[in-house]
Every structure is written in C-alpha cells, then in structure tokens.
Amino acid sequence: MQNSNDSDIADTNQYITLYRGVSSNAKGSMYAEAMMGTAIPNGLRPGQVAHSNMGDHAMGDNYSIWTSWTKDPSVARNFATNYGVIPGVILSQKFKLGQAIPNISETAKLMQEGEWLVTGPVMGAQVQHIKP
C-alpha cells in the first residue's frame, strides 16, 4: 500500500513536454532569445518589477516571474504565427512536474489555452521555425 507521501515523491519524478510559441514581432528581444532556445520572464528583465499573480498573467500582464507554455502544439503555433499571419518559432522542452505548473486561475480556465507556467529563465529548449 502506498501512502500519500510516497505518491507525492513519485509525482516529482514525472516529466511533461511543453511548447511555447514566439512570433517574429514579439516585444523586445524575446524573438531573438527564442531563436536561441531561451525564454526569459518579462518581469525578471532589468528595470521591471515581477508579480506572481496567475490571473493577471493570464489576462496579459506578463511582467511576472513566469513564462507561458502549453501542452498543445497547435496553441503554441497560434502564438508563434499570430494566428497564421507572421513567422515565428515554437520552443519545446521537457520539464519536471513542479518546475512547470498549470495556471489554475479562473481567467486561464476561460482562455482554454492549457497554460503552464515556468518560473525563471529557460535555456536550451528545442527550436522549430514556423511559417504562417
């Protein structure tokens, strides 16, 4: 019989592959960074004040401690191409559960993007170039 503590330990050994779409017209250096397999939370950039409110992040205030990812490659493609208008890239990375957490805010549930949040910078993600 497995107690709840054993279950918690087993869960931390599980991984999930997530995707992040970045369009060629992303603000600042986000696109150049993405082309190198890097994602940096906007709130951690110099001169910014980071927040940790999942609902605000889902509403578009992405000056947070997280970058946004999804389990659904088609959602990432929509973000990468601005819904089929411009080129972009899709990053993919395997994360340990707990390193990536689902956005459980009511706003995120309404958006239906399957958003997962990753704290801090991500480097070394695989990069796929996407055309509209």
Side-chain angles (χ1 to χ4, degrees), residues 48-123:
Q48 299 301 322
V49 177
H51 71 81
S52 59
N53 183 301
M54 288 182 173
D56 288 350
H57 184 92
M59 285 292 293
D61 179 359
N62 58 11
Y63 287 91
S64 70
I65 61 172
W66 302 295
T67 52
S68 298
W69 299 73
T70 180
K71 292 193 308 184
D72 186 345
S74 65
V75 170
R77 182 180 189 83
N78 288 340
F79 278 94
T81 63
N82 198 18
Y83 294 88
V85 177
I86 56 177
V89 295
I90 295 177
L91 303 181
S92 60
Q93 179 79 4
K94 189 181 278 193
F95 295 98
K96 200 176 224 184
L97 290 178
Q99 180 185 10
I101 56 173
N103 187 334
I104 58 171
S105 70
E106 289 303 315
T107 302
K109 292 175 189 173
L110 291 172
M111 303 282 286
Q112 297 182 355
E113 296 168 347
E115 183 177 46
W116 285 68
L117 302 172
V118 177
T119 303
V122 174
M123 295 184 206

Side-chain angles (χ1 to χ4, degrees), residues 9-70:
I9 292 168
D11 288 346
T12 62
N13 293 322
Q14 293 180 356
Y15 289 84
I16 185 170
T17 299
L18 296 175
Y19 305 90
R20 174 178 170 79
V22 180
S23 70
S24 58
N25 73 348
K27 52 184 153 179
S29 58
M30 286 175 59
Y31 183 64
E33 293 162 356
M35 290 194 321
M36 295 185 295
T38 299
I40 299 172
N42 284 331
L44 299 184
R45 295 182 184 279
Q48 299 301 322
V49 177
H51 71 81
S52 59
N53 183 301
M54 288 182 173
D56 288 350
H57 184 92
M59 285 292 293
D61 179 359
N62 58 11
Y63 287 91
S64 70
I65 61 172
W66 302 295
T67 52
S68 298
W69 299 73
T70 180

